[in-house]
Amino acid sequence: INQQKVLFLVDTGPSHVVVPGKLANKLHLKQGMPSTAQTAGGDVEVYQTIITELKLGHIVMHNVKASISPHMEDDEILLGM
């Protein structure tokens, strides 16, 4: 993400990319408007963001919509399907 190596966890639950809060800070992602996400553990507040460049192998995507979840404590980014 944004030319920094990260660890992805492919997850069929989320419908988009979800970045843990502390990792979002390291990646310099801007925290946008708040919204509510429904998770297996209940509703949580997340913040909208845009990932300028997301590269996975030979696949490169630009301006990817994502969420920042301050409550996630892992260093894994959920790659939703």
Side-chain angles (χ1 to χ4, degrees):
I1 290 183
N2 298 337
Q3 300 184 357
Q4 296 187 43
K5 290 188 178 191
V6 297
L7 182 62
F8 286 105
L9 174 65
V10 177
D11 190 346
T12 59
S15 57
H16 62 283
V17 178
V18 183
V19 182
K22 66 180 181 178
L23 188 54
N25 290 334
K26 291 179 186 177
L27 296 170
H28 306 288
L29 296 177
K30 294 180 183 177
Q31 185 172 300
M33 297 291 296
S35 61
T36 302
Q38 295 177 341
T39 71
D43 291 349
V44 295
E45 185 172 60
V46 296
Y47 298 90
Q48 298 172 13
T49 193
I50 298 290
I51 298 172
T52 305
E53 181 181 85
L54 190 150
K55 187 184 295 187
L56 185 61
H58 296 292
I59 301 168
V60 180
M61 295 176 282
H62 296 278
N63 300 320
V64 177
K65 292 181 182 179
S67 294
I68 297 171
S69 178
H71 306 289
M72 288 175 61
E73 296 183 11
D74 297 329
D75 283 333
E76 297 172 339
I77 295 172
L78 298 182
L79 186 60
M81 304 301 286

